[in-house]
Amino acid sequence: MNLKYRKTIIAGNWKMNKTITEAKTFADAIKPQLGRHKWCEVVLCVPGVNIPGMVRLFKDTRVAIGGETCHYEASGAFTGEVTVEMLKDVGAKYVIIGHSERRQYYNETDFTVNKKVHAALEAGLRPIVCVGESLEQRELGVTEELISYQVKVALAGLSDTQVRRVVVAYEPIWAIGTGKTATAEQAGAVCTHIRTIIRKQYGARVARAVTIQYGGSMNAKNAAELLAQPDIDGGLIGGASLKPDDFMAIINAANQE
């Protein structure tokens, strides 16, 4: 983390988990422990039907609520999709874009990711843009080339001001939901590479303002070590964000000076 230049953001990605009733139990458990996250922002990205209820549950806290995906069109015949304006209207502040599961199961591409990033920013939402490589790609030694391509396409056409509002989440696909985690040094090296790409495209001042998260199975045990890396500015947390004690442990790890 580098608290001098940018905010640390700990974001939970609940995926397809928790009814609003279950979410209330989670909120009741975690809210008494909040209020001490001086150095980091806390975000919970939840299923779309839960967003209004989550906004109400956390209205008296500094926790921001976000969506897990969006469409890039403003309206239309896209059954089951939600627009960025719909998310904003029910109180969402963030939206995850390009998660590997969306790419794998719903055919999202780097180019649709770019369209969604533009749409989110124009609506006033902060996009959390996911990039990452598979195990096969890492073993082939093409991680840096692949990440460079994903980041460049995701940010294509954005102004300096817009890029500052983007959060980039490095999620090695081989470490999502598998229990495997990149070492702190491996994760830190890729996050440093991402910042280098942004610096080459937009300059040093913009690059050092961008929050870059690690999202490959960050948990209560490894969070402090990962967050000690200078270019890891938070986490996009999957399974651990569903457990109040584990999620709070990660938040507390991000609050170390």
Side-chain angles (χ1 to χ4, degrees), residues 140-154:
L140 283 172
V142 298
T143 295
E144 289 194 356
E145 292 91 335
L146 178 71
I147 298 297
S148 296
Y149 176 79
Q150 290 179 325
V151 171
K152 288 177 181 178
V153 176

Side-chain angles (χ1 to χ4, degrees), residues 2-257:
N2 189 323
L3 300 172
K4 179 179 178 181
Y5 292 116
R6 51 195 172 264
K7 194 76 171 180
T8 300
I9 300 175
I10 300 298
N13 175 17
W14 279 10
K15 307 188 181 185
M16 196 173 70
N17 290 293
K18 291 193 185 297
T19 64
I20 196 62
T21 301
E22 292 168 331
K24 184 179 185 305
T25 301
F26 176 93
D28 289 343
I30 203 170
K31 283 167 66 175
Q33 304 179 65
L34 293 171
R36 301 189 302 273
H37 48 288
K38 180 179 178 182
W39 305 117
C40 75
E41 183 161 348
V42 179
V43 182
L44 286 170
C45 295
V46 301
V49 294
N50 285 355
I51 292 174
M54 289 291 284
V55 170
R56 289 192 296 271
L57 285 172
F58 286 93
K59 67 180 180 179
D60 54 347
T61 73
R62 294 166 55 197
V63 175
I65 305 302
E68 296 179 359
T69 187
C70 63
H71 203 281
Y72 51 81
E73 294 288 357
S75 62
F78 302 101
T79 301
E81 294 287 345
V82 294
T83 71
V84 290
E85 290 293 342
M86 290 173 185
L87 293 175
K88 182 180 178 182
D89 192 57
V90 293
K93 304 295 184 185
Y94 286 77
V95 60
I96 299 171
I97 295 175
H99 191 278
S100 64
E101 291 158 1
R102 297 293 308 179
R103 295 175 188 254
Q104 178 181 356
Y105 301 128
Y106 302 100
N107 302 314
E108 290 196 7
T109 69
D110 294 301
F111 296 100
T112 57
V113 165
N114 177 251
K115 290 182 179 181
K116 291 183 178 190
V117 171
H118 278 269
L121 289 168
E122 288 166 9
L125 298 177
R126 289 198 72 178
I128 299 175
V129 182
C130 301
V131 299
E133 83 282 17
S134 67
L135 182 60
E136 292 79 7
Q137 290 163 334
R138 172 167 280 274
E139 290 177 341
L140 283 172
V142 298
T143 295
E144 289 194 356
E145 292 91 335
L146 178 71
I147 298 297
S148 296
Y149 176 79
Q150 290 179 325
V151 171
K152 288 177 181 178
V153 176
L155 303 183
L158 298 183
S159 68
D160 290 5
T161 300
Q162 288 176 314
V163 173
R164 288 171 179 264
R165 288 189 51 76
V166 174
V167 179
V168 180
Y170 168 53
E171 291 209 317
I173 298 169
W174 49 273
I176 299 173
T178 64
K180 298 180 180 179
T181 309
T183 66
E185 291 74 20
Q186 287 174 319
V190 177
C191 291
T192 296
H193 177 65
I194 291 170
R195 201 173 308 282
T196 299
I197 299 163
I198 298 171
R199 184 175 68 248
K200 289 179 178 178
Q201 297 286 112
Y202 294 94
R205 188 169 295 180
V206 173
R208 66 175 175 242
V210 174
T211 294
I212 300 175
Q213 299 174 317
Y214 175 68
S217 296
M218 182 182 283
N219 56 51
K221 294 180 179 179
N222 62 28
E225 183 182 12
L226 287 162
L227 292 168
Q229 294 292 311
D231 285 307
I232 297 181
D233 310 309
L236 182 58
I237 317 300
S241 71
L242 298 169
K243 304 171 184 176
D245 289 344
D246 288 3
F247 195 49
M248 277 307 310
I250 297 170
I251 293 170
N252 290 334
N255 282 331
Q256 304 301 314
E257 294 189 51

